[in-house]
């Protein structure tokens, strides 16, 4: 598997190195509750690792979506914009947020694998 | 993570919340259920359609006893306490000497010179100290820490509760009495804080779980967390103490003049005589003097507008701040309340909220956002 996880509770699937897919984790959507609104970045913008690239809102609260690695936005999920509840119902699939072209492969290697993230999320 | 935080207190229903799968969060010093497995939106909509059971045992309960209790309590609030008939409940405001709001509360005339009071959980220690310091020489001020408080809210609340306590259906909004409900000794009032018809039930902590289980066994009733309580009260246009009102706001600024009966206003039979009366009455008599006013706001696009968001006029001047805001589950539209300069307080006025650096158009609108469903 090529899916990695950030300590900010994003996942990134870099199977396609020029269009890595980014979303929020099962843990993140569970903590937020029913997602009702997403603010997605503009295609073509470049963000550094850790920068706020989007926002996800539930009735309770708004949470930032951070760039798991530096890169350029190549696509955003218009289906998620139309139906934000996809972030709850299928956070690792149809509820993806955006695709990026990573600019530093080393950052990907340094992210958590699934087992490490699962341990981390228990304490977060 | 507040390292030095005191351990959280629990309500008598703590074990039941956990059994029901609640997500527990710290609130007002207590571990409280923010939502159950069905989630905030489902809980909110269920309360609007059927009946929701809320544990509000973190709130403060106290009783004022003695023939001078009503007159003494009236010296703390701009509210008609003396004239409240036996069996009726009223909304009140504890005021500071500057005329600002120390807390908002509900009080009920139990008869036999007893006034039952419910205050906000986060304020209860301060309220008790304040009330005791000011009026304990005129009446007994008794805290009731062994009482639990449940709220059953929604259009089918009366159906469910009347099955367990025949007769409660005769109560009207803001009235109450003592009832045995599923064998529990309850002080029942027909009131709540969701904008829906419903009841609040105060009872001994030891009986609370039995009552909760009996209510949850009714087909109309589901458990509802504090998350939905917040979205319901905001749609109902009701203030949350600590967000929408606090010790910096006066009743008129908070658009709570309706809570000040004529008898306590300028020209009334018992005008004034409460803390900050000169300032509070001057603001009622001359609304143009208000520095700011609480209003309702609807977002004209889908972006939720949260508390602390700056409000601007269309030409970019800061005119106020949002104090509560979220996507209203009943309306499927973002709603908010906040304070604006009086010139922008008229319903229909267009303003803009600055969300993440972008201007989101909003319109001032009359509250409640969802029509109240009280049984009058």
């Amino acid at each position: 598997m090529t899916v990695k996880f950030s300590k900010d509770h994003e996942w990134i699937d870099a199977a396609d190195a020029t269009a890595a897919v980014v979303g929020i984790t099962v843990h993140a959507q569970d903590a937020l509750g029913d997602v009702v609104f997403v603010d997605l970045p503009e295609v073509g913008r470049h963000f550094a690792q850790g920068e706020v690239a989007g926002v996800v809102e539930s009735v309770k609260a708004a949470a930032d979506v951070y760039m798991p690695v530096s890169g350029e936005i190549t696509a955003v999920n218009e289906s998620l914009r139309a139906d934000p509840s996809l972030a709850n119902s299928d956070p690792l699939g149809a509820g993806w947020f955006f695709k990026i072209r990573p600019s530093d492969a080393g950052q990907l290697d340094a992210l958590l694998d699934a087992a490490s993230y699962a341990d981390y999320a228990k304490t977060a | 993570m507040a390292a030095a935080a005191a351990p959280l207190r629990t309500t008598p229903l703590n074990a039941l919340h956990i059994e029901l799968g609640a997500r527990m969060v710290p609130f007002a010093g207590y571990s409280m259920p923010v939502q159950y497995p069905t989630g905030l939106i489902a809980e909110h909509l269920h309360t609007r359609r059927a009946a929701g059971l809320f544990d509000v045992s973190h709130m403060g309960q106290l009783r004022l006893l003695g023939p001078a209790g009503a007159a003494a309590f009236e010296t703390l609030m701009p509210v008609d306490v003396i004239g409240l008939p036996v069996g009726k409940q009223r909304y009140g405001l504890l005021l500071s000497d500057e005329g600002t709001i120390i807390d908002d509360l509900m009080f009920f005339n139990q008869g036999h010179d007893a006034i039952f009071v419910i205050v906000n959980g986060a304020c209860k220690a301060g309220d008790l100290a304040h009330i005791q310091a000011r009026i304990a020489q005129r009446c007994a001020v008794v805290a009731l820490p062994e009482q639990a408080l449940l709220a059953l809210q929604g259009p089918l609340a009366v159906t469910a509760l009347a099955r367990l306590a025949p007769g409660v259906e005769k109560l009207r909004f803001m009235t109450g009495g003592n009832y045995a409900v599923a064998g529990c000794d309850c002080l029942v009032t027909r009131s709540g804080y969701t904008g829906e018809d419903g009841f609040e039930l105060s009872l001994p902590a030891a009986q609370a779980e039995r009552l909760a289980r009996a209510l949850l066994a009714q087909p109309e009733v589901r458990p509802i967390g504090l998350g939905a309580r917040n979205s319901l009260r905001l749609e109902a246009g009701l203030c949350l103490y600590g967000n929408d009102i606090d010790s910096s706001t006066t009743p008129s600024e908070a658009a709570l003049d309706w809570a000040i009966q004529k008898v306590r206003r300028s020209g009334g039979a018992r005008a004034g005589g409460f803390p900050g009366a000169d300032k509070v009455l001057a603001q009622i008599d001359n609304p143009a003097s208000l520095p700011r006013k609480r209003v309702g706001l609807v977002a004209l696009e889908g972006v939720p507008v949260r508390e602390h968001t700056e409000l601007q006029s269309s030409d970019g001047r800061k005119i106020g701040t949002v104090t509560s805001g979220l996507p209203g589950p009943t309306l499927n539209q973002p709603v908010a309340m906040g304070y604006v300069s009086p010139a922008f307080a008229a319903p229909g006025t267009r303003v803009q909220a600055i969300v993440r650096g972008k201007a989101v158009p909003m319109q001032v609108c009359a509250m409640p956002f969802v029509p109240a469903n009280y049984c009058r």
Side-chain angles (χ1 to χ4, degrees), chain B residues 51 80 82 111 130 138 159 169 188 203 209 227 251 291 319 322 350 359 371:
Chain B
D80 177 8
I82 292 171
H130 173 81
R138 299 179 64 186
T159 308
E169 71 282 357
V188 178
L203 77 167
E209 187 171 324
I319 56 161
V322 170
R350 291 285 287 265

Side-chain angles (χ1 to χ4, degrees), chain B residues 270-355:
Chain B
R270 299 194 309 280
F274 54 85
D278 290 352
K279 179 175 169 184
V280 169
L281 295 181
Q283 286 189 340
I284 294 175
D285 296 339
N286 182 15
S289 70
L290 287 177
R292 56 179 180 159
K293 183 144 196 186
R294 182 175 64 94
V295 295
L297 298 153
V298 289
L300 302 177
E301 294 170 0
V303 186
V305 180
R306 309 280 176 178
E307 63 194 75
H308 308 310
T309 302
E310 179 169 325
L311 294 167
Q312 295 183 348
S313 59
S314 49
D315 58 358
R317 283 178 298 132
K318 179 173 180 183
I319 56 161
T321 307
V322 170
T323 52
S324 287
L326 45 73
T330 309
L331 300 163
N332 212 10
Q333 179 184 30
V335 294
M337 61 173 78
Y339 285 82
V340 295
S341 306
F344 294 87
T349 305
R350 291 285 287 265
V351 302
Q352 54 191 23
I354 307 304
V355 179

